[in-house]
Amino acid sequence: MTTQESAPQITEVEMITVVIDGFEVTVPKGTLIIRAAEKLGIQIPRFCDHPLLSPVGACRQCLVDVEINGRAFPKPQASCTIPVEPNMIVKTQLTSPVAEKAQRGVMELLLGNHPLDCPVCDKGGECPLQNQAMSNGNAESRLDGTKRTFEKPINISSQVLLDRERCVLCARCTRFSEEIASDPFITLNHRGALQQVGIYENDPFNSYFSGNTIQICPVGALTGASYRFRARPFDLVSTPSACEHCASGCDMRTDVRRGKTLRRLAGDDAAVNEEWNCDKGRWAFKYVTAIDRLTQPLVRNADGELVAASWPEALAAAAAGLKGARAAVLVGGRATVEDAYGYSKFARIALSTNDIDFRARITSDEEGNFLASHVATSAVNYSDIDKADHALLLAFEPEEESPIVFLRLNKNVKKRNLKVTSIATKQSIAMDKLNAEFIRVAPGAEGAAVAAIALTAKSVILLGERASESAGLISAAVALADKTGAKLAWIPRRAGERGALDAGALGTLLPGGRPVADSAARVDIAAAWGVDSLPTNSGRSTSQIIASLAAGELDAVVVGGVDLRDMYNSVDAIAALKKSFVVSLEIAPSSVTEVADVVLPVAAITEKSGSFLNWEGRPRAFDSAVAESLNRSDVRILSALADAMGTSIMLGTVSATAREISQLGKWDGARVPFTPVAPVNPASPSGDQAIIASWRRLLDMGTLQRGEDNLAGTRRQTVAVISEKRAASLGVVTGDLLRVSNATGAITLPALVEDIHDDAVWLPRNSFGSQPLTDLNAVHGQLVTVVKA
Amino acid sequence: MSQLTPVLSAHWDEKDSFTIEGYKRHGGYNAAAKALAMDPDAVIQMVKDSGLRGRGGAGFPTGMKWGFIPQGDNKDHYLVVNADESEPGTCKDMPLLMANPHVLVEGVIIAAYAIRAKHAFIYIRGEVTHVVRRVNQAITDAYKAGYLGKNIFGTGNDLELVLHIGAGAYICGEETALLDSLEGFRGQPRLRPPFPAIAGLYARPTVVNNVESIASVPAIIANGAEWYQSMGTEKSKGATLYSLSGHVNNPGQFEAPLGITLRQILELAGGVRNGHKLKFWTPGGSSTPLFTDEHLDVPLDYEGVSAAGSMLGTKALQIFDETTCVVRAVLRWTEFYKHESCGKCTPCREGTWWLVQILRDLENGKGTEADLQKLLDLCDNIMGRSFCALGDGATSPITSSIKYFRDEYISHLTNGGCPFDAAKSTLFEEVLR
């Protein structure tokens, strides 16, 4: 039957019924006893067991009596290691005196060598050992001898502290690091009661994912330097939140005490981040309270100085400068969907223009076209990676640019040998971990290499935002996807980009992916917004807006969350803004503040509500974590500004904005057509010349990482990477200084000799001592001179 | 049954028993040649029929273990010989390898052929340098003779044999910890399943056998399963090495059919130290519950010892006479287990830490009778609760000694310390000043 044939294939999972404490429960084959018991609401105490880590059976806390086909195991079994079987009868501590005694016995032993420092332990109050000692332990210990002692905490990285006395040696941290992060930088050393977690002699625990070990530690053995001794868990107010640091879309929890965020934890979302997050998401939140936050509006006075002003004053000054001006909008990657929608609507109604772009970075028209034609409202997702037969990474370093995508790829590589291919200039740590096929190309030659990759309809192509820097790469990816049926996903680096795209913060798109050029789409939106018409011409892109400001074709610009130093020709960009009327909505002083005429302070993430769309297009809503917040999200200020201009956009609250967005829905008409762009030949270096390749790493000099020195201590070293061949010709070995220069300037860094294309040199962007965008004004694919310093 | 049946130890008294010439003089390597001409399955069947059981302590039928290796799976198979003999009291494999390393090499050749392994490993205790040297030489000589390497015995079969020297951990005698150690990791026992027969060394089907088990194979091949079966008892076939140590007049290796009694062996060994009488003994090393003079007539086979409440183990018969303080002996063993606990699981790691402290107090006359109850209860919480058998073994001397010598424990408390003169139990002459 054709209907049956076309139905999706669902693999039948065999179900098994077991009896636990007299109750029947039916679970999929392979389910562990401890998990089946959970389904019945029976909590078996445990320490080493973790649902996302492989079973180890080390702590012996979860012992239960097991019988199969009438044959009982002679001794109690670890329920975290044994899968259910047909005709299995399990008796937990609730019905088996043997299991109960075994559990109490193990608990007594775990507590025997555990220090009684709960009153000063970070974990006290949320500690699985404390809690389970209460529920499954004896109130008094019979062990009155000498406890094992160790020196109190030792640093295993600048961020993670280890208190060996408290450790119950469950190996959750070491298993996480090895199995999930593939960073086996910690391991168990020594033996017997002196067994302990340790690092290699000279290599600290500098994993991008180290914070997860603290979160899954069932005792207070691993603590974060930034949170240690800061709070008691019961004094914290927890709010579910979302991560603002990248487009992975981690579910988060923000813990606040007396109005101040003290820590953030990974939330539990099986579809996205499972239970993990990266260290940036966990620890980079102090920028919110960093001393240089903007707290009140500023207006530039007649003397050219920015002075504090009241809100009505500032709004009036902004409105006066914008009204009637030829104005544009630049909105950066920190914007929430609601904020971006506010900017989008503000541009169209208050400024009567489509000149809006959310891409505060190096862009291309090819990319703008692709985003409108393919990405807006699309929905490739994490589960497509889980189902993929092959993942192709283009201009994308997952561990640096979207760490949870890396974890998901890694899981699929480890569990089912997912094939990963990366077309790049330089080999990377992540590629190594993913066992990826590395197709080495010169910077700029990426597009030409794509066509040769064999994919199927089950494959995924993960395209990083840096694809805009290599002409023809996006077109080649689109062609490959069209040819093979592979799913094509675009993974920007910043949290707000995808939401801004779908909210229409782009010159060619209205909200919901509606093409500006489509009159029906314009009518749709105009009707919803209660205006007669919307501007019809395609809007300018970021670089075009700046060029037009410089040329005097535009007079004014509203800027939110943009750092001009992320752009090509940032010096020119600053000059262009300097001669224009600039309204800046920002949380902290930036390069834009210096040239702004009106500065309007806005809320940071923990102070406001809203949502992001992650790279999948999945909404990640969050609430204000700080109770006293004014929720001064950009959209509310834009709405007030529009009111002051006499052209209301009626977005007084974030929730009203969210409601309006959901009412608009997605465009179901024709998409913007895609016009492929041919690749250009990469530059040909001669002599000391090399082609520069460069991207940002996870931990760098980013504004949102300010104020967190412990995190900064785990950054990867800033280096300039060259190939063995080039190193030999320069007479350079790893560690020697290299000077990378061009007509604009020079950067001197230690060399790292690695697997990189012979024509290329790589250095990180926006890193300590390495700012190729501002110091060299050099983008991907340009020629620089590399010599021994 | 009181006669010795030297098979493994038949020629130990010859000056060159450890050389390839000495070994070949008595038909050495003929069994390997014979086995290599047989069907591998027939070799397995022959070992199964012989009734040979694992001599490492657990007594699992050797042929059956070989039969668990999946055949035709297109995977590499490995044979690993456990020569990490480290149990206190156990001293059979080292003398065997010292006196006749070639019998192990020949056994390896036959066993590897049977399970279709092209690589075999001997994991040997690192402390016994002298034995390591002899085994190393034996392997070298066997390679030179064409018994190891490519095309062994000209049959087209290949076999590489690697001697791996352990770094001094009792836990590495546990077969899965041994495999971890052999792979270069810290030796800690692995979760089972998967069992080594399915995923052992480098996750490939692997047989792990004790030295004596493998060394017994050449004689079985040479003389036939029926010959081997003719020795021993109904379920414990063959002969084996009983290692007598401690307060006996002639300590050493006694190769006898399974089922012999301690009384018979003591007769062969000239009895307990003159002027003294047997107080307690271990049937199979320190991990096996103690026996006393009540157990002199227990048949020393797997079933007999088990029925009497202990385990045959490694047949390490440590004899203690009435001068020995059982509390002191048990404390020493427990200190060993604390030192050797690998740390993986809570009961063994933490339990041995506290057992030592309580025993030390008791030995010094501190504590009360309630501490005995505490000790027994702690043992109950370790025995059968730990990850591997090391934890179980740590409790055996304690529980069995309290069972038989409770009064002696209490006398430490009433006496305010140990009532024994430790010097009297030493085996060297007391020096008079």
Side-chain angles (χ1 to χ4, degrees):
Chain A
M1 292 294 293
T2 50
T3 48
Q4 277 177 343
E5 279 165 12
S6 62
Q9 287 203 332
I10 298 165
T11 340
E12 280 285 320
V13 180
E14 191 188 329
M15 300 299 281
I16 290 176
T17 301
V18 290
V19 178
I20 302 178
D21 289 339
F23 299 99
E24 277 194 1
V25 63
T26 304
V27 291
K29 189 180 179 186
T31 304
L32 299 168
I33 294 174
I34 197 168
R35 221 72 69 223
E38 279 168 11
K39 262 197 96 181
L40 285 170
I42 296 168
Q43 162 107 3
I44 301 169
R46 82 288 302 265
F47 294 102
C48 65
D49 169 69
H50 189 285
L52 298 178
L53 302 176
S54 61
V56 60
C59 77
R60 317 306 288 174
Q61 186 57 59
C62 65
L63 296 171
V64 296
D65 268 338
V66 181
E67 174 186 324
I68 303 171
N69 288 323
R71 282 186 55 203
F73 278 90
K75 42 193 188 183
Q77 299 295 307
S79 58
C80 71
T81 63
I82 300 182
V84 293
E85 281 182 41
N87 302 318
M88 182 184 264
I89 296 175
V90 177
K91 288 181 179 164
T92 73
Q93 71 276 12
L94 301 179
T95 52
S96 159
V98 174
E100 215 235 339
K101 177 167 188 296
Q103 291 180 8
R104 284 181 182 274
V106 170
M107 185 68 75
E108 180 181 40
L109 290 171
L110 280 174
L111 294 171
N113 266 328
H114 193 80
L116 279 172
D117 61 355
C118 303
V120 296
C121 178
D122 284 357
K123 206 80 175 185
E126 57 177 15
C127 174
L129 179 60
Q130 218 174 32
N131 294 343
Q132 295 181 126
M134 299 297 282
S135 58
N136 301 83
N138 296 330
E140 286 188 27
S141 172
R142 300 171 295 172
L143 307 173
D144 45 12
T146 311
K147 278 179 193 260
R148 173 201 60 184
T149 53
F150 285 114
E151 186 190 337
K152 277 290 183 182
I154 52 176
N155 275 92
I156 54 175
S157 75
S158 64
Q159 184 62 267
V160 183
L161 298 166
L162 167 66
D163 189 325
R164 289 164 294 172
E165 288 178 354
R166 294 178 185 158
C167 180
V168 291
L169 300 163
C170 67
R172 278 188 183 183
C173 56
T174 53
R175 279 179 293 149
F176 169 84
S177 299
E178 182 166 344
E179 294 170 17
I180 308 291
S182 291
D183 286 337
F185 306 156
I186 52 172
T187 182
L188 289 167
N189 299 328
H190 301 279
R191 64 188 185 189
L194 299 181
Q195 189 181 225
Q196 54 191 271
V197 174
I199 51 175
Y200 294 90
E201 203 170 343
N202 297 312
D203 299 316
F205 182 33
N206 286 352
S207 165
Y208 281 165
F209 305 97
S210 67
N212 294 295
T213 62
I214 297 174
Q215 189 169 341
I216 59 173
C217 179
V219 291
L222 294 172
T223 51
S226 300
Y227 175 71
R228 193 174 165 88
F229 298 141
R230 296 292 194 291
R232 311 295 307 177
F234 30 81
D235 291 335
L236 297 170
V237 177
S238 301
T239 310
S241 61
C243 186
E244 76 276 29
H245 286 289
C246 84
S248 289
C250 287
D251 191 56
M252 301 272 286
R253 189 181 110 186
T254 301
D255 285 356
V256 170
R257 190 188 59 172
R258 287 189 235 131
K260 193 172 168 188
T261 304
L262 287 184
R263 69 171 176 185
R264 298 180 84 193
L265 301 172
D268 190 352
D269 188 336
V272 180
N273 56 313
E274 304 191 273
E275 294 182 24
W276 319 122
N277 74 345
C278 74
D279 287 358
K280 180 156 87 170
R282 180 175 304 267
W283 283 313
F285 58 81
K286 285 196 179 154
Y287 69 91
V288 174
T289 46
I291 44 164
D292 62 350
R293 272 292 293 279
L294 291 164
T295 52
Q296 51 183 334
L298 305 170
V299 175
R300 202 167 289 279
N301 65 13
D303 299 331
E305 289 169 349
L306 275 180
V307 293
S310 69
W311 276 98
E313 247 179 299
L315 289 172
L322 292 174
K323 192 138 179 82
R326 294 168 300 167
V329 175
L330 294 175
V331 49
R334 72 157 162 76
T336 62
V337 173
E338 292 76 10
D339 289 344
Y341 179 81
Y343 283 104
S344 172
K345 192 172 178 184
F346 183 84
R348 269 69 188 225
I349 294 180
L351 304 178
S352 300
T353 182
N354 283 320
D355 291 342
I356 177 169
D357 198 335
F358 65 86
R359 296 170 294 164
R361 50 183 171 81
I362 299 157
T363 64
S364 69
D365 293 343
E366 181 189 8
E367 182 198 36
N369 186 194
F370 166 69
L371 295 180
S373 66
H374 283 80
V375 181
T377 72
S378 74
V380 183
N381 56 38
Y382 282 106
S383 68
D384 290 320
I385 297 177
D386 292 338
K387 288 178 279 193
D389 61 353
H390 191 169
L392 174 62
L393 314 182
L394 299 175
F396 183 49
E397 271 300 330
E399 197 180 17
E400 307 282 10
E401 298 174 309
S402 200
I404 301 305
V405 174
F406 165 75
L407 288 189
R408 190 59 74 99
L409 286 167
N410 196 31
K411 174 180 170 179
N412 282 284
V413 169
K414 299 285 176 289
K415 293 224 156 132
R416 57 180 194 92
N417 227 355
L418 169 66
K419 184 178 180 196
V420 179
T421 301
S422 177
I423 297 179
T425 296
K426 179 178 97 63
Q427 168 73 286
S428 68
I429 295 169
M431 262 188 244
D432 216 26
K433 294 190 212 175
L434 296 173
N435 200 18
E437 180 191 7
F438 168 40
I439 297 178
R440 192 187 310 98
V441 295
E446 291 86 355
V450 170
I453 310 293
L455 297 182
T456 73
K458 284 179 71 189
S459 308
V460 289
I461 303 170
L462 305 179
L463 193 62
E465 66 175 29
R466 289 183 282 115
S468 66
E469 301 180 31
S470 181
L473 174 55
I474 294 173
S475 302
V478 167
L480 182 63
D482 287 348
K483 187 178 89 183
T484 59
K487 291 201 158 86
L488 177 57
W490 177 69
I491 306 187
R493 227 174 49 82
R494 293 179 170 116
E497 293 217 352
R498 178 59 199 272
L501 173 65
D502 284 23
L506 192 68
T508 54
L509 284 186
L510 294 166
R514 292 169 176 80
V516 165
D518 192 312
S519 57
R522 290 199 307 276
V523 168
D524 240 17
I525 295 293
W529 285 351
V531 293
D532 295 337
S533 67
L534 292 173
T536 56
N537 58 320
S538 275
R540 294 174 169 92
S541 69
T542 300
S543 50
Q544 287 164 344
I545 288 170
I546 288 174
S548 299
L549 288 167
E553 290 159 15
L554 288 173
D555 315 314
V557 64
V558 176
V559 187
V562 172
D563 192 333
L564 297 169
R565 290 173 303 186
D566 290 338
M567 298 178 188
Y568 184 42
N569 285 330
S570 58
V571 177
D572 295 352
I574 290 170
L577 259 67
K578 193 154 189 162
K579 60 187 282 193
S580 314
F581 182 77
V582 176
V583 178
S584 166
L585 285 77
E586 199 44 275
I587 61 169
S590 73
S591 56
V592 178
T593 314
E594 292 158 22
V595 295
D597 295 278
V598 179
V599 178
L600 302 171
V602 294
I605 180 126
T606 52
E607 301 155 350
K608 65 184 189 181
S609 56
S611 64
F612 291 115
L613 294 186
N614 72 349
W615 68 271
E616 308 167 282
R618 186 192 299 265
R620 314 303 291 163
F622 57 90
D623 236 330
S624 165
V626 183
E628 301 80 19
S629 158
L630 296 172
N631 201 358
R632 208 178 273 147
S633 206
D634 299 38
V635 63
R636 298 186 60 207
I637 291 164
L638 289 168
S639 193
L641 181 55
D643 287 343
M645 292 169 70
T647 46
S648 183
I649 59 170
M650 290 184 291
L651 298 172
T653 64
V654 172
S655 50
T657 310
R659 207 156 44 237
E660 189 172 310
I661 296 169
S662 78
Q663 279 164 0
L664 282 177
K666 290 177 186 173
W667 175 244
D668 51 8
R671 283 176 167 272
V672 172
F674 181 69
T675 314
V677 170
V680 292
N681 286 331
S684 24
S686 58
D688 286 341
Q689 286 182 321
I691 316 174
I692 193 167
S694 174
W695 54 80
R696 294 176 73 149
R697 297 197 285 200
L698 185 72
L699 300 179
D700 59 9
M701 305 289 282
T703 314
L704 303 193
Q705 294 162 58
R706 276 193 212 157
E708 186 42 80
D709 295 342
N710 296 320
L711 176 64
T714 66
R715 284 177 193 155
R716 289 178 178 168
Q717 199 200 350
T718 307
V719 286
V721 179
I722 53 171
S723 71
E724 252 176 61
K725 188 177 161 195
R726 182 175 293 271
S729 75
L730 290 175
V732 164
V733 295
T734 291
D736 289 352
L737 289 179
L738 276 185
R739 187 170 188 273
V740 181
S741 63
N742 63 6
T744 308
I747 295 174
T748 303
L749 290 175
L752 174 65
V753 182
E754 218 184 19
D755 187 358
I756 182 173
H757 194 277
D758 285 331
D759 285 349
V761 60
W762 179 89
L763 48 163
R765 268 182 199 162
N766 197 33
S767 287
F768 187 74
S770 180
Q771 293 285 2
L773 271 183
T774 53
D775 293 353
L776 302 180
N777 196 28
V779 295
H780 190 81
Q782 290 184 345
L783 290 176
V784 289
T785 302
V786 180
V787 294
K788 187 173 179 177
Chain B
M1 282 237 307
S2 68
Q3 287 305 303
L4 291 176
T5 50
V7 179
L8 291 171
S9 57
H11 309 293
W12 287 8
D13 54 351
E14 291 176 18
K15 239 171 47 183
D16 61 349
S17 69
F18 57 91
T19 63
I20 195 163
E21 297 79 23
Y23 185 58
K24 288 181 75 173
R25 188 157 62 240
H26 300 286
Y29 288 108
N30 289 344
K34 180 179 172 190
L36 262 55
M38 293 165 64
D39 181 69
D41 288 334
V43 177
I44 296 178
Q45 192 57 46
M46 198 163 172
V47 174
K48 275 185 187 169
D49 292 345
S50 74
L52 175 65
R53 292 172 66 173
R55 301 293 192 235
F60 193 83
T62 304
M64 197 190 287
K65 201 180 226 183
W66 296 2
F68 287 154
I69 298 293
Q71 296 303 338
D73 55 354
N74 287 323
K75 284 183 184 166
D76 288 337
H77 298 170
Y78 297 117
L79 171 71
V80 177
V81 177
N82 184 349
D84 191 43
E85 183 176 63
S86 339
E87 171 105 348
T90 301
C91 53
K92 64 186 181 68
D93 295 338
M94 294 308 120
L96 168 60
L97 291 178
M98 192 70 185
N100 189 0
H102 283 283
V103 70
L104 177 66
V105 174
E106 185 173 15
V108 165
I109 294 166
I110 298 166
Y113 174 73
I115 64 163
R116 286 84 157 171
K118 302 239 172 293
H119 281 90
F121 300 83
I122 299 173
Y123 186 102
I124 194 163
R125 184 164 186 202
E127 289 90 332
V128 286
T129 316
H130 49 313
V131 179
V132 170
R133 286 182 185 141
R134 285 219 168 148
V135 176
N136 225 349
Q137 187 60 47
I139 293 172
T140 307
D141 292 345
Y143 266 101
K144 276 189 200 147
Y147 302 153
L148 292 171
K150 300 277 175 216
N151 189 24
I152 56 173
F153 293 88
T155 59
N157 291 295
D158 301 336
L159 176 63
E160 301 298 333
L161 176 56
V162 175
L163 180 68
H164 182 96
I165 299 159
Y170 174 61
I171 190 63
C172 291
E174 197 281 341
E175 63 174 7
T176 58
L178 184 153
L179 294 176
D180 260 18
S181 175
L182 195 51
E183 287 181 17
F185 298 102
R186 266 171 97 229
Q188 286 201 333
R190 295 176 180 175
L191 195 60
R192 284 175 289 196
F195 290 91
I198 305 303
L201 188 65
Y202 304 115
R204 294 293 181 272
T206 302
V207 163
V208 185
N209 274 146
N210 174 257
V211 169
E212 193 190 342
S213 314
I214 293 293
S216 301
V217 170
I220 292 170
I221 299 295
N223 303 321
E226 278 183 28
W227 162 78
Y228 200 73
Q229 278 214 351
S230 70
M231 295 182 284
T233 57
E234 192 194 342
K235 288 183 175 168
S236 303
K237 299 294 183 194
T240 190
L241 292 168
Y242 292 93
S243 315
L244 214 57
S245 63
H247 293 143
V248 287
N249 283 325
N250 296 312
Q253 308 302 316
F254 294 83
E255 193 172 7
L258 282 156
I260 194 169
T261 66
L262 181 66
R263 190 183 299 281
Q264 291 166 321
I265 297 178
L266 274 177
E267 274 169 30
L268 294 166
V272 172
R273 187 160 66 138
N274 291 339
H276 296 281
K277 63 180 178 35
L278 178 66
K279 181 176 176 184
F280 62 93
W281 55 290
T282 65
S286 61
S287 305
T288 56
L290 298 180
F291 275 164
T292 66
D293 56 359
E294 296 167 32
H295 303 97
L296 273 168
D297 297 312
V298 169
L300 295 178
D301 62 4
Y302 297 101
E303 291 70 32
V305 180
S306 178
S310 188
M311 286 173 292
L312 184 62
T314 53
K315 304 143 293 153
L317 311 168
Q318 300 174 85
I319 309 298
F320 298 87
D321 66 23
E322 83 291 342
T323 61
T324 318
C325 170
V326 75
V327 182
R328 187 180 160 90
V330 169
L331 170 61
R332 290 291 151 83
W333 281 322
T334 309
E335 281 171 339
F336 170 83
Y337 289 111
K338 177 194 163 196
H339 183 253
E340 294 296 342
S341 171
C342 78
K344 179 165 184 156
C345 76
T346 309
C348 173
R349 175 186 73 231
E350 305 292 333
T352 52
W353 174 274
W354 298 105
L355 292 176
V356 165
Q357 294 197 33
I358 297 168
L359 276 168
R360 204 174 278 155
D361 279 354
L362 288 171
E363 163 76 351
N364 293 329
K366 292 186 222 155
T368 67
E369 204 176 335
D371 288 332
L372 287 184
Q373 197 45 46
K374 191 202 285 186
L375 207 49
L376 287 173
D377 193 60
L378 277 177
C379 287
D380 184 51
N381 290 340
I382 297 168
M383 174 81 189
R385 313 303 184 243
S386 50
F387 191 92
C388 77
L390 195 152
D392 296 353
T395 67
S396 295
I398 300 176
T399 46
S400 59
S401 65
I402 295 179
K403 178 174 162 194
Y404 297 118
F405 301 100
R406 192 182 184 96
D407 291 345
E408 193 171 313
Y409 276 87
I410 290 169
S411 73
H412 280 69
L413 303 177
T414 51
N415 188 49
C418 183
F420 288 84
D421 177 357
K424 291 213 166 114
S425 63
T426 54
L427 273 169
F428 42 85
E429 293 288 319
E430 201 174 342
V431 181
L432 296 170
R433 294 169 215 247

